[in-house]
């Protein structure tokens, strides 16, 4: 895991609580925090994240036979269930996540397609028990938080390089599509950007993180995703807003933006400019699908039509529409192409309310960590938790904006942010 930043020996890692020389490679060490899980669970956790994002089993068929993802899933889920008495389960955002998963499972009983309702509910349960809960129980010290974030940046560096070498596509699963890869890179970019400001890392590793930031932006360009571009633009503006030195960073971003846009292919510029084309088939098609999703929600306002069931009800609502054209192709089996128009019709007002309550809880946690220094012009660097909190807030904004154009409700980034925000808040509390 010691891939990106290292701390100079003899320097502290961001907190006066660490009195010995710190080194981020100590993820598997016996930290001072009591009741930390052993090395085995930690390894299972990181192997699971590696398989989830990097998809090595798609390139190595033998891994498909061994099923390492399933093994890790079972071990981590069992570990999470044995920790039901942990204070993690008393956290409000975790309880809301559990409630959201319950709403997903409830949809099986009234969904048109029970199989896909089951599959998506199972996916959400995996996010909870194999990723978020283990993360909250494993990453409970500054050094472990540092290594988690360094690992996160490293994984997305691989994804960006993979996309650059494969026509903007990711390695598979929820990252196979160009739009999905663009979203993942937008979500990761703030971590590379803000970790540069953590006290105690060398100039060399600051440059590595700057390179990772530019690599992520280049990966978004390689996807040729218009939604990805919108997400990248919003992310860039929020990077400036949440920086401690806004004016300096504004000019830096503008300089890099001018250079970057001058170097991007003309095809990408044309693709971005087509956002303004009101006759664009993709644009009109998505607006149509969003309208159908809204009709679906109005018809099922409480619990929705069931998890993962928009594609199986869309044709029905198109035929029932007053604007139905018998000669036009129906959209049965197609996603809503929007996180929000997946959320509203599939999980109704109950699921939507829980989703935004989770978002509010994350906001409160992270804002509390960084509020003393937001907008400050001090030259000194951030603590790790401050930098991580800034990064997570901007990362969430990138997800919410890019998700307007992509059906990513059941993808990991938003749900993993619950665990990351919990860890940041927990470690920040220990610093005080």
């Amino acid at each position: 895991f010691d891939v990106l930043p290292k701390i100079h020996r003899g320097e502290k890692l961001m907190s006066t609580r660490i009195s010995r020389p710190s080194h981020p490679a100590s993820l598997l060490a016996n930290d001072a925090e009591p009741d930390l899980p052993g090395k085995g669970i930690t390894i299972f956790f990181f192997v699971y994240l590696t398989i989830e994002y990097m998809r090595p089993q798609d390139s190595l068929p033998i891994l498909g036979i061994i099923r390492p993802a399933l093994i890790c899933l079972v071990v981590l889920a069992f570990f999470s269930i044995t920790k039901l008495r942990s204070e993690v389960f008393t956290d409000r955002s975790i309880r809301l996540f559990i409630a959201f998963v319950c709403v997903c499972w409830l949809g099986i009983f009234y969904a048109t397609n029970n199989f896909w309702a089951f599959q998506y509910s199972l996916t959400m349960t995996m996010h909870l028990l194999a990723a978020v809960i283990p993360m909250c129980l494993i990453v409970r010290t500054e050094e472990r938080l540092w290594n988690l974030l360094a690992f996160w940046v490293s994984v997305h560096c691989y994804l960006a390089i993979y996309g650059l070498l494969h026509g903007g596509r990711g390695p598979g699963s929820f990252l196979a599509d160009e739009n999905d890869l663009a979203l993942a890179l937008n979500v990761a970019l703030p971590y590379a950007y803000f970790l540069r400001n953590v006290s105690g890392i060398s100039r060399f590793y600051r440059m590595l993180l700057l390179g990772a930031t530019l690599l992520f932006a280049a990966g978004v360009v390689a996807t040729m995703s218009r939604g990805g571009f919108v997400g990248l633009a919003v992310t860039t503006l929020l990077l400036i807003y949440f920086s401690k030195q806004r004016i300096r960073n504004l000019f830096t971003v503008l300089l890099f933006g001018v250079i970057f846009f001058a170097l991007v292919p003309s095809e990408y510029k044309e693709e971005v400019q087509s956002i303004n084309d009101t006759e664009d088939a993709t644009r009109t098609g998505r607006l149509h699908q969003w309208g159908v999703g809204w009709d679906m929600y109005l018809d099922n306002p409480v619990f929705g039509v069931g998890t993962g069931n928009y594609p199986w009800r869309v044709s029905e609502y198109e035929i029932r529409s007053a604007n139905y054209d018998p000669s036009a192709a129906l959209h049965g089996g197609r996603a809503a192409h929007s996180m929000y128009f997946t959320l509203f019709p599939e999980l109704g007002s109950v699921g939507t309310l829980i989703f935004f309550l989770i978002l509010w809880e994350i906001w409160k946690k992270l804002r509390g960590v960084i509020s003393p220094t937001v907008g400050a012009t001090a030259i000194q660097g951030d603590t790790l938790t401050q930098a991580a909190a800034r990064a997570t807030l901007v990362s969430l904004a990138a997800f919410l904006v890019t998700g307007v154009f992509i059906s990513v409700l059941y993808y990991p980034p938003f749900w993993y942010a619950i665990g990351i925000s919990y860890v940041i808040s927990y470690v920040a509390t220990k610093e005080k």
Side-chain angles (χ1 to χ4, degrees), residues 397-427:
F399 178 84
L400 294 172
V401 172
T402 313
V404 171
F405 311 99
I406 320 171
S407 299
V408 293
L409 176 63
Y410 306 110
Y411 288 8
F414 178 81
W415 310 106
Y416 286 11
I418 298 173
I420 293 173
S421 64
Y422 175 90
V423 169
I424 292 170
S425 178
Y426 181 88
V427 174

Side-chain angles (χ1 to χ4, degrees), residues 85-100:
R85 294 182 179 274
S86 167
E87 80 281 357
V88 169
F89 287 92
T90 66
D91 180 78
R92 188 172 298 176
S93 59
I94 297 296
R95 289 185 169 182
L96 286 168
F97 188 10
I98 294 172
F100 189 90

Side-chain angles (χ1 to χ4, degrees), residues 276-284:
N276 298 319
D277 183 4
T278 58
E279 302 301 322
D280 179 72
T282 300
R283 172 176 175 161
T284 56

